[in-house]
Amino acid sequence: MIRVAVVEDDPVMSDILCNAIDACEDMSLTARRDNMHDGSRMIETGGYDVLLCDLGLPDGSGIDLIRQEAATGRDTDILVVTMFANQKNILDAVRAGARGYLLKDERIEDCIEAIRNIRRGGSPISPIIARQLLKQITPEQANDGVPLATPLTEREYEVLNLLARGLSNSDCAEVLSISSNTVGTHIKNIYRKLEVNSRAEALFEASSKGLLS
Amino acid sequence: MKHHPKDYFLSVNAGLAVVLRVFLLTLFGLLCHVNFASAQSVSQADVISSASGNVIEIVEGDYIYFQGIEPPDRGWEAASHPNIDHTNKTGQHRGEYRSMVGRFYFDRAAVGDGLLGIHTIGTRGNFTVSVNGVEIFRNFADVTDKKNSWYRPFLVPVPDSALKTDVNEVIVHSFSRKSVGIGRLLIGPNSSLQNIYQSRYFWHITAPTAASLAMLVIGLLFLVFWIAQRHEIELLWLSIASILWFARNHQYFSGEIPINTGTYVAITFLSSYFATVAATAFYFYFIQLRHRKLIVSTMLFFGCLITLIHFGIIRPPSNPYMSASSFYLYAGTLIVVITVSTVALRDLFRNRELQRRLIGLGVVMCMPLVTIHDVTMLFRHLGDGHATYLGVFGGPTFAMVFTIAFGIRVLKAFTDLGKSNQVLETSMSKVRAELLESEANRQELVVSQTLTSERARLMQEMHDGIGSNLITALAVAQQQKHPRTSIDVLRRALGDLKLTVDSLEPVEGDLVALLGNLRHRMARDMADAGVSCKWEVEECQSLPWLDAANALHVLRIHNEAIGNVLSHSNADEMRIGCVEHELDGVRGILTYVKDNGDGFALDDVTNGKGLLNMKARAHSLHGALFFESEPGMGTSISLWLPYVREEIRKIDPQL
């Protein structure tokens, strides 16, 4: 049973999601909030496996909620509910701790599948985001970003490289002779490393500003 | 005067004078031996012929010197005339009245007919003239007047009533607190003397007054200029030189001593040195002589020493021939003049600038002339009325030459200024043009940045506004089971919005990532349509010109192509790919969307709206669109895009 919590301010969208989740036998809706304040209190309580979070909440940014959730250290999978999956939003969310995203216009069954998928350990990625990630974390191009504290494995790097060239997960699996799910897992791991790195960066920034120690 | 009559110089100058006089005496003696014969009762005199009768010049007389003003009866001593008693000659001190009375006799018959006159120049201080015991002239109103008459000519008409037909006695009584003496004395017809007198008056008084006043005005003007232009130190030197020279010249033309006699003497005496130094300083600054500051400072320091000596504050070892202050002043002046003349002479040969040559000549000619005059005349103070000093014009000439030279320089500077203004203006306009250009570039950049950020803002608006409304509408339509056509319209609108959003993603010309993203977005549609997709991309370079607007064209062309495959082709497989391809010798990328569907007869679709749109977009991308289809053989749409666009290639053929 996958316990799902939803933070979404658009009532129509929220209804669709919640109804669909409720209708699933393997899922249960544990909480439904429509603003940041309530969402934050919900996170304090916990009690869910997957958090669906919209970014544009009326009283703040969903990014902060994601960060709050990630900071609890629970084994929660966070999915961003977004309209276009444009790279800035997704990357910000990933750095804050998100592991995937749902597109608002996606068919609801795809959304439910994405929730299941993330729970199985797979994350989605678009070629443009893959490309951007490659650009930011590849050691030889590190001038644009900070090299990861935990570098990508060779396989993760290969996956990212293929995805950036527009290959689908299954294309990629075929090329690398692995399963599609494994591709998703690699992506999820890449996301995790990114999040850890961003936390390390924040820590470094804080300590260099003298807030810690 | 305080400075001693300089016997040393006197011996030189007077020596010359004596030689001259002996010569003249011999000459006139031979000519007028009659006068010599009757010399028992008349004073020895030279005779000067004139159209209106003889004029005689007294060359011998009887004199009494004494302290005070009232003359005693006895003590006459014969001496040659003119006879000047300089201060201290007889151990007198300035400040006490002294007198000299001269007595002369002349025969009425020896001079021409008509009204007689007595012409005298160089008679010192206050004086009276009496004929046969009757006073006929005095140059003062009150005994205490401080008359300055050493250089001044006087013409005294002698009333006939005062004259005897034979021998007449003339008594001249000069008294003063400084030098006394009786200068040149001419007796003759008034009309003849008038000419001599007027000429003398002009050269001794009128001309020096005018020249000196003009110089003073120039000096004051330059002082004003200097106050306005403090960095032009030459102006100050010129001004000081002119003013000091006026002070020095004052004793020539002034009939009266306007201030305390001692002060007046000090000023006239010292100013001659300082005027020379100031003029030298002007010249040295004008020609930018090296070490000028040091040289001028040294000269001024020496001047201060002379001043201190003059006022008796410093008493250097004295000299048997002249007072210490005079000795040092003349020695100093001589050194300054030698220095400046040497420099000027050298500069004359070195520098060919007009104003430099002019001033050099002025210095070389004037300086020694003036100084020789100054030294000899101020020394001798003979002032017996024989000499007309050119020196009094030296200063004004100097000032004039300097002014002209300076004027030429200023004029030249103005001309140069005009020229440099022109140059400046040219370079200014060049700079301005460059500035305008860079400003235009900046504006362009600002505009493009504004456009970008505005586009991003618009996108955000669409994202938040239109996008979320579309999504809500779509959700509602789906929930309420609206007809599929309306749902498709909403989907298409949303899809187009997504294309727009994607076109804005920064991909740095990476066409593959852009197309990959499109494929990623359409993956679900492809799956729904039952079309499998083969992704056949090869490594391609990036397209430097692929900005948001162009990316949107690319995305729309491919969206349309893929959409056509999904909607109309009945295909079950489609291949999307890109490959490097040269078209008409131009390198670029060829992308394609091929399906294995029904295909079309070309004529049916050539004029289709969709295809025309795609062609138009390809054209605006500077690319080419190729459409291949045959019934039963599937369809292929390819888009060729150049790596470098035509207009860029024209600018840089290297590419």
Side-chain angles (χ1 to χ4, degrees):
Chain A
M1 182 68 74
I2 304 171
R3 296 169 299 162
V4 183
V6 175
V7 182
E8 165 62 70
D9 65 320
D10 179 0
V12 176
M13 195 66 222
S14 183
D15 278 349
I16 294 171
L17 277 174
C18 292
N19 293 342
I21 291 163
D22 263 343
C24 281
E25 287 180 356
D26 58 342
M27 287 186 200
S28 68
L29 184 72
T30 57
R32 177 180 172 178
R33 302 287 183 272
D34 61 0
N35 61 60
M36 178 151 162
H37 178 256
D38 296 348
S40 181
R41 289 178 58 183
M42 179 197 78
I43 289 168
E44 283 167 22
T45 321
Y48 46 86
D49 305 310
V50 175
L51 170 65
L52 303 187
C53 184
D54 192 3
L55 290 184
L57 297 170
D59 54 346
S61 168
I63 297 282
D64 293 332
L65 284 184
I66 294 170
R67 203 170 282 127
Q68 190 191 342
E69 172 60 47
T72 63
R74 292 189 293 249
D75 178 31
T76 312
D77 285 311
I78 305 162
L79 288 174
V80 180
V81 183
T82 176
M83 209 170 306
F84 297 113
N86 52 322
Q87 70 177 20
K88 189 184 178 307
N89 283 355
I90 298 301
L91 285 178
D92 284 351
V94 165
R95 286 204 185 85
R99 293 288 177 269
Y101 51 88
L102 301 180
L103 289 171
K104 287 185 175 181
D105 67 326
E106 247 173 320
R107 260 163 265 195
I108 194 61
E109 45 276 31
D110 290 346
C111 289
I112 297 298
E113 189 49 40
I115 294 170
R116 288 195 186 110
N117 196 33
I118 197 92
R119 212 48 207 158
R120 277 200 299 271
S123 291
I125 194 166
S126 79
I128 285 181
I129 292 170
R131 181 180 179 280
Q132 190 63 28
L133 280 184
L134 260 187
K135 204 180 136 198
Q136 287 188 6
I137 64 187
T138 312
E140 58 263 29
Q141 288 173 325
N143 57 334
D144 214 53
V146 184
L148 289 178
T150 321
L152 298 190
T153 63
E154 204 166 312
R155 186 41 63 88
E156 283 163 359
Y157 181 75
E158 278 175 330
V159 168
L160 205 54
N161 211 359
L162 290 173
L163 293 172
R165 284 179 58 199
L167 274 71
S168 67
N169 280 23
S170 50
D171 291 341
C172 194
E174 201 178 310
V175 170
L176 298 174
S177 307
I178 50 175
S179 74
S180 281
N181 285 344
T182 314
V183 174
T185 311
H186 282 310
I187 296 166
K188 195 173 183 182
N189 285 335
I190 292 169
Y191 284 168
R192 184 176 296 123
K193 286 182 179 176
L194 208 62
E195 183 212 336
V196 170
N197 200 59
S198 105
R199 259 194 255 161
E201 273 173 37
L203 205 67
F204 172 75
E205 237 172 73
S207 73
S208 67
K209 281 176 184 164
L211 299 176
L212 300 176
S213 86
Chain B
M1 279 205 159
K2 185 173 180 177
H3 45 95
H4 199 273
K6 302 82 199 164
D7 295 356
Y8 169 75
F9 271 86
L10 260 179
S11 62
V12 178
N13 290 305
L16 275 169
V18 166
V19 169
L20 195 71
R21 267 176 223 140
V22 168
F23 175 75
L24 284 172
L25 273 175
T26 320
L27 190 69
F28 282 107
L30 284 172
L31 284 170
C32 321
H33 59 278
V34 181
N35 284 344
F36 268 88
S38 60
Q40 282 297 340
S41 53
V42 298
S43 303
Q44 230 175 350
D46 296 336
V47 176
I48 302 160
S49 293
S50 151
S52 46
N54 290 338
V55 170
I56 58 166
E57 171 159 12
I58 305 295
V59 295
E60 183 211 59
D62 303 322
Y63 303 93
I64 320 175
Y65 313 93
F66 55 93
Q67 282 208 0
I69 298 170
E70 286 307 314
D73 293 352
R74 34 182 74 244
W76 293 101
E77 281 174 32
S80 65
H81 190 81
N83 188 349
I84 308 296
D85 176 34
H86 289 281
T87 318
N88 290 353
K89 183 178 180 180
T90 47
Q92 304 294 333
H93 296 289
R94 192 172 63 233
E96 300 157 14
Y97 273 114
R98 294 183 303 119
S99 296
M100 178 191 279
V101 180
R103 187 176 66 186
F104 316 96
Y105 297 98
F106 72 94
D107 190 351
R108 177 70 182 85
V111 295
D113 296 329
L115 191 64
L116 281 194
I118 299 172
H119 175 50
T120 180
I121 309 178
T123 300
R124 295 296 193 272
N126 300 355
F127 69 89
T128 59
V129 179
S130 309
V131 175
N132 297 324
V134 178
E135 186 185 301
I136 58 167
F137 178 77
R138 56 168 62 196
N139 72 339
F140 59 93
D142 191 272
V143 180
T144 55
D145 286 353
K146 293 178 285 183
K147 287 296 175 188
N148 174 44
S149 45
W150 72 273
Y151 194 54
R152 184 168 278 264
F154 290 92
L155 178 60
V156 180
V158 184
D160 272 341
S161 57
L163 287 172
K164 296 176 185 166
T165 49
D166 50 351
V167 175
N168 289 277
E169 179 200 62
V170 175
I171 289 180
V172 180
H173 176 191
S174 151
F175 64 94
S176 148
R177 289 178 194 267
K178 41 180 217 156
S179 305
V180 292
I182 297 149
R184 196 179 182 197
L185 213 51
L186 298 175
I187 300 168
N190 209 18
S191 52
S192 301
L193 291 178
Q194 273 289 350
N195 291 336
I196 299 170
Y197 168 77
Q198 267 163 13
S199 149
R200 288 285 153 159
Y201 195 88
F202 178 79
W203 288 112
H204 283 213
I205 307 296
T206 313
T209 309
S212 299
L213 279 174
M215 180 173 62
L216 181 67
V217 169
I218 288 172
L220 292 174
L221 267 178
F222 276 122
L223 190 65
V224 173
F225 291 161
W226 176 74
I227 288 168
Q229 297 278 320
R230 292 288 175 82
H231 61 281
E232 295 282 358
I233 196 79
E234 292 120 303
L235 288 173
L236 180 66
W237 288 123
L238 194 49
S239 164
I240 292 176
S242 303
I243 292 166
L244 286 178
W245 227 300
F246 176 84
R248 175 202 171 275
N249 276 1
H250 189 266
Q251 56 167 326
Y252 285 84
F253 55 81
S254 173
E256 205 139 355
I257 296 171
I259 51 170
N260 173 281
T261 310
T263 315
Y264 185 74
V265 167
I267 289 172
T268 48
F269 172 69
L270 292 170
S271 64
S272 73
Y273 177 79
F274 284 106
T276 311
V277 171
T280 304
F282 165 81
Y283 179 59
F284 285 178
Y285 274 89
F286 185 82
I287 65 167
Q288 307 272 305
L289 186 74
R290 257 192 290 172
H291 311 306
R292 53 188 177 278
K293 211 166 183 176
L294 180 73
I295 295 171
V296 172
S297 302
T298 311
M299 289 173 173
L300 288 176
F301 176 73
F302 195 75
C304 293
L305 284 183
I306 295 168
T307 309
L308 293 177
I309 293 168
H310 179 79
F311 287 108
I313 297 166
I314 299 176
R315 293 176 191 281
S318 71
N319 167 309
Y321 300 110
M322 66 181 90
S323 72
S325 63
S326 301
F327 175 79
Y328 287 106
L329 185 129
Y330 298 132
T333 309
L334 205 66
I335 291 167
V336 171
V337 167
I338 288 169
T339 311
V340 76
S341 302
T342 313
V343 171
L345 209 60
R346 199 187 60 152
D347 195 60
L348 258 186
F349 288 104
R350 285 198 179 173
N351 203 299
R352 309 220 166 268
E353 257 184 332
L354 175 63
Q355 73 268 26
R356 289 282 280 268
R357 307 206 91 184
L358 191 69
I359 207 162
L361 268 174
V363 169
V364 171
M365 306 279 282
C366 275
M367 272 284 204
L369 199 76
V370 166
T371 313
I372 287 166
H373 166 266
D374 239 33
V375 172
T376 43
M377 293 309 166
L378 264 177
F379 255 103
R380 290 166 64 185
H381 249 291
L382 272 177
D384 60 4
H386 276 97
T388 293
Y389 304 123
L390 282 176
V392 73
F393 301 110
T397 312
F398 226 9
M400 207 58 75
V401 170
F402 281 3
T403 308
I404 290 168
F406 196 81
I408 291 172
R409 176 175 283 187
V410 169
L411 267 179
K412 201 166 164 288
F414 271 137
T415 321
D416 289 352
L417 194 71
K419 275 182 201 156
S420 69
N421 272 348
Q422 247 173 1
V423 171
L424 205 68
E425 213 155 283
T426 317
S427 64
M428 270 297 290
S429 53
K430 216 168 125 190
V431 167
R432 203 180 295 129
E434 281 170 9
L435 209 70
L436 276 175
E437 199 188 319
S438 85
E439 175 61 17
N441 287 344
R442 202 186 63 81
Q443 285 283 357
E444 220 167 87
L445 199 70
V446 166
V447 166
S448 96
Q449 276 172 354
T450 313
L451 272 178
T452 308
S453 70
E454 183 62 10
R455 209 180 281 139
R457 195 187 64 79
L458 268 173
M459 287 321 302
Q460 191 64 41
E461 289 291 311
M462 280 196 231
H463 198 275
D464 296 350
I466 304 172
S468 71
N469 284 335
L470 273 175
I471 282 167
T472 309
L474 184 63
V476 170
Q478 279 172 337
Q479 266 185 334
Q480 297 177 357
K481 309 272 189 237
H482 278 247
R484 179 162 178 82
T485 42
S486 0
I487 292 175
D488 281 350
V489 168
L490 284 173
R491 281 202 176 282
R492 267 206 300 282
L494 204 55
D496 198 54
L497 201 55
K498 282 183 181 176
L499 289 188
T500 318
V501 171
D502 283 348
S503 74
L504 287 163
E505 299 278 32
V507 294
E508 284 103 22
D510 189 346
L511 189 64
V512 172
L514 196 69
L515 293 180
N517 220 60
L518 180 67
R519 187 258 188 134
H520 179 78
R521 282 211 185 284
M522 299 186 82
R524 178 73 207 190
D525 295 332
M526 292 176 189
D528 285 354
V531 178
S532 70
C533 175
K534 281 198 171 172
W535 186 247
E536 304 173 336
V537 292
E538 287 182 14
E539 205 68 52
C540 295
Q541 292 176 34
S542 60
L543 300 173
W545 47 265
L546 192 68
D547 59 7
N550 289 314
L552 189 56
H553 281 313
V554 171
L555 285 174
R556 282 196 166 134
I557 289 170
H558 289 87
N559 189 52
E560 176 90 23
I562 296 167
N564 285 342
V565 174
L566 299 185
S567 323
H568 312 299
S569 71
N570 290 322
D572 59 4
E573 189 190 91
M574 122 171 100
R575 296 187 295 148
I576 303 176
C578 66
V579 62
E580 282 204 341
H581 182 79
E582 217 170 83
L583 183 70
D584 298 336
V586 181
R587 291 177 63 232
I589 303 176
L590 187 73
T591 70
Y592 54 84
V593 177
K594 293 178 181 171
D595 65 62
N596 63 351
D598 297 343
F600 302 91
L602 277 179
D603 289 346
D604 298 344
V605 291
T606 312
N607 296 321
K609 195 183 163 204
L611 193 60
L612 283 181
N613 267 343
M614 287 159 84
K615 281 194 165 164
R617 288 187 196 283
H619 182 73
S620 66
L621 286 167
H622 297 230
L625 190 84
F626 306 99
F627 187 88
E628 287 170 44
S629 189
E630 254 179 69
M633 298 295 285
T635 308
S636 165
I637 294 177
S638 4
L639 171 69
W640 175 83
L641 297 170
Y643 277 133
V644 178
R645 283 197 183 179
E646 199 64 40
E647 74 269 11
I648 303 167
R649 230 177 306 143
K650 269 178 197 160
I651 293 164
D652 190 352
Q654 295 259 303
L655 286 166

